Amino acid sequence: MKEDSLLKYIPIEYKHSIHDVDFEKYFKEGYRMLFFDLDNTIADYETHYPEKDKIELFDYLKELGFECFILSNNKEKRIKKFEDSLGVKGFYSLRKPFTGRIRKYILDESMDTNKILWVGDQAVTDVKCAHKLGINTILLDPIKPATEHWYTKINRFVERSIFKKIRKKYSSVYSSLGLENRYGR
């Protein structure tokens, strides 16, 4: 039986910000790797280095025992600044939601997708890409949508349309995740 195409856009959790996620709970559940989108997840598009609260969060995550990665469609120069400041490995120009480059890395490193949690702000890139790879996701609100590029604004338009359909077809899931706080009723 073919899977409903709407399911690939549904995260396991929705939170307002990266600071609202209970990462300790996920570590206790067996997750050991965290994949983070960069733009509007860790920092807005105008911020060129991680702020102090993000550096402290990543230090805490590493102390818990997580291995953290940045997965971004952005350019190497931008990713490198965050990689160095946060002490994590970053991957750039990934072309999410396409999975080729990420799949190659996961397979090359023999990563167990059941132990990876992906945190991002876009359902049409982050959640969809992670779903195709068999990775659970947490969807966040974008930090500062006004700074987004035109193509991200198109993604947001598409995303709103998708979540209207999800609200109709999977209303209990939509409500249990609290998605009405992001997309309205």
Side-chain angles (χ1 to χ4, degrees):
M1 177 182 266
K2 188 177 178 186
E3 179 185 47
D4 184 337
S5 64
L6 292 174
L7 295 175
K8 64 186 166 200
Y9 299 102
I10 300 175
I12 61 167
E13 187 171 29
Y14 159 70
K15 292 293 184 184
H16 174 65
S17 112
I18 198 170
H19 297 290
D20 297 328
V21 178
D22 184 353
F23 288 106
E24 191 173 324
K25 173 186 96 168
Y26 287 106
F27 190 82
K28 288 177 183 173
E29 290 179 5
Y31 291 95
R32 294 298 179 261
M33 291 181 208
L34 298 171
F35 286 0
F36 289 93
D37 175 51
L38 174 58
D39 296 311
N40 263 340
T41 298
I42 297 173
D44 65 57
Y45 287 90
E46 296 172 335
T47 302
H48 301 289
Y49 292 92
E51 296 165 331
K52 183 181 177 191
D53 64 327
K54 301 304 187 310
I55 293 170
E56 290 170 352
L57 174 64
F58 276 81
D59 287 345
Y60 168 73
L61 294 173
K62 290 183 278 184
E63 282 177 29
L64 273 177
F66 282 112
E67 191 173 358
C68 302
F69 301 87
I70 295 172
L71 279 66
S72 180
N73 287 344
N74 214 313
K75 307 247 184 286
E76 180 180 17
K77 184 178 177 183
R78 177 162 170 77
I79 305 313
K80 190 75 176 141
K81 293 175 185 176
F82 284 84
E83 234 183 344
D84 294 343
S85 299
L86 297 173
V88 301
K89 184 147 178 67
F91 298 90
Y92 54 90
S93 302
L94 291 176
R95 296 187 221 150
K96 298 178 292 182
F98 300 108
T99 60
R101 293 179 181 193
I102 300 167
R103 187 177 307 277
K104 180 183 182 308
Y105 178 74
I106 290 170
L107 295 175
D108 286 352
E109 297 296 322
S110 301
M111 293 180 174
D112 181 353
T113 56
N114 294 313
K115 294 183 178 189
I116 302 170
L117 186 63
W118 187 313
V119 182
D121 69 300
Q122 289 190 64
V124 297
T125 56
D126 300 312
V127 177
K128 182 180 178 182
C129 185
H131 183 291
K132 288 160 79 175
L133 294 166
I135 297 171
N136 285 323
T137 58
I138 296 175
L139 180 64
L140 305 178
D141 286 331
I143 294 171
K144 194 173 177 185
T147 64
E148 293 177 333
H149 300 291
W150 64 269
Y151 46 84
T152 304
K153 290 179 185 197
I154 292 171
N155 285 348
R156 299 276 182 221
F157 177 79
V158 171
E159 186 176 287
R160 277 190 295 279
S161 173
I162 290 166
F163 274 93
K164 281 182 184 178
K165 293 174 186 171
I166 290 170
R167 184 181 69 218
K168 285 182 182 175
K169 188 165 185 178
Y170 299 105
S171 61
S172 62
V173 172
Y174 186 88
S175 294
S176 69
L177 288 170
L179 289 166
E180 62 275 353
N181 295 320
R182 181 177 174 121
Y183 303 102
R185 298 188 188 273

